[in-house]
Amino acid sequence: MLSHIYSPWRSGYFTTDSNDVCVFCEIANNPHNDVKNRVFYRDSICFGVMNLYPYIPGHFMLIPHKHIDTPTLLSQEKWQHLHILSQKSIAMLEEYGASGINMGINIKKAAGAGIPEHLHLHFVPRYEGDTNFITTIANSRVYGVDFDSIYDKISCLAKKHLYDL
Ligand SMILES: [Zn+2]
């Protein structure tokens, strides 16, 4: 439980597929499934997707299309692009209503990456006193309708903040 609270950027995805298909490459290569996969942003370099196993509703990720496990394998231009989008993502979460934000990257397995093969940047909206909330939801993962409305709201905000490059 404590690891949930103190590592909010750790990915909740687990590889259950015996074919070892990279879940992020699957999302990157199938834009026709964007709504189903909860992708709210996409350009030629990266995409933004809701974390399906969020520590807090509103938890999303920015992910380069390229299947790499460390930023050093990205060109400086693409890395800069991710950082410009990160800044815009923070503005987006501030408008979303977050009173604080955890932003983080776990690079490779030893650092705790949930999908170490494919680099991803986490953005987690935080609220005063929300650790009680995390404790409550960590074992349930039941969001239902709320998850859909959060995706809609983030998609709306992405049009305003992220597409304005
Ligand atoms: Zn991949």
Side-chain angles (χ1 to χ4, degrees):
M1 189 61 66
L2 287 175
S3 67
H4 283 260
I5 294 168
Y6 293 111
S7 305
W9 47 85
R10 206 183 65 179
S11 173
Y13 286 95
F14 300 99
T15 44
T16 53
D17 199 312
S18 55
N19 295 324
D20 279 325
V21 175
C22 172
V23 64
F24 294 152
C25 282
E26 277 289 297
I27 296 171
N29 296 331
N30 291 286
H32 59 281
N33 284 335
D34 275 359
V35 172
K36 185 182 142 215
N37 289 329
R38 304 290 208 279
V39 173
F40 56 85
Y41 175 80
R42 166 182 292 276
D43 62 30
S44 62
I45 295 167
C46 66
F47 61 95
V49 62
M50 304 306 296
N51 193 316
L52 296 181
Y53 303 94
Y55 290 101
I56 285 198
H59 176 181
F60 65 79
M61 299 173 288
L62 284 180
I63 308 177
H65 295 305
K66 197 174 177 189
H67 185 83
I68 40 116
D69 64 356
T70 169
T72 57
L73 294 174
L74 275 181
S75 68
Q76 282 195 337
E77 289 73 23
K78 287 182 178 172
W79 184 235
Q80 271 180 341
H81 178 80
L82 279 168
H83 275 267
I84 290 166
L85 277 177
S86 295
Q87 189 183 38
K88 291 170 184 283
S89 296
I90 291 163
M92 187 167 90
L93 281 177
E94 284 174 349
E95 184 171 339
Y96 176 76
S99 44
I101 296 156
N102 288 112
M103 173 189 160
I105 318 173
N106 298 324
I107 299 164
K108 303 190 183 180
K109 192 178 176 188
I115 309 240
E117 315 75 34
H118 198 137
L119 187 73
H120 49 287
L121 290 67
H122 290 273
F123 297 84
V124 183
R126 300 300 301 270
Y127 307 91
E128 298 294 338
D130 65 9
T131 46
N132 290 335
F133 180 60
I134 295 175
T135 305
T136 305
I137 66 168
N139 290 324
S140 59
R141 288 181 182 162
V142 177
Y143 301 113
V145 174
D146 283 338
F147 197 81
D148 288 336
S149 65
I150 289 162
Y151 171 61
D152 289 345
K153 192 171 176 187
I154 292 287
S155 296
C156 251
L157 290 168
K159 286 188 179 75
K160 174 181 171 185
H161 289 278
L162 301 188
Y163 280 104
D164 180 33
L165 288 171

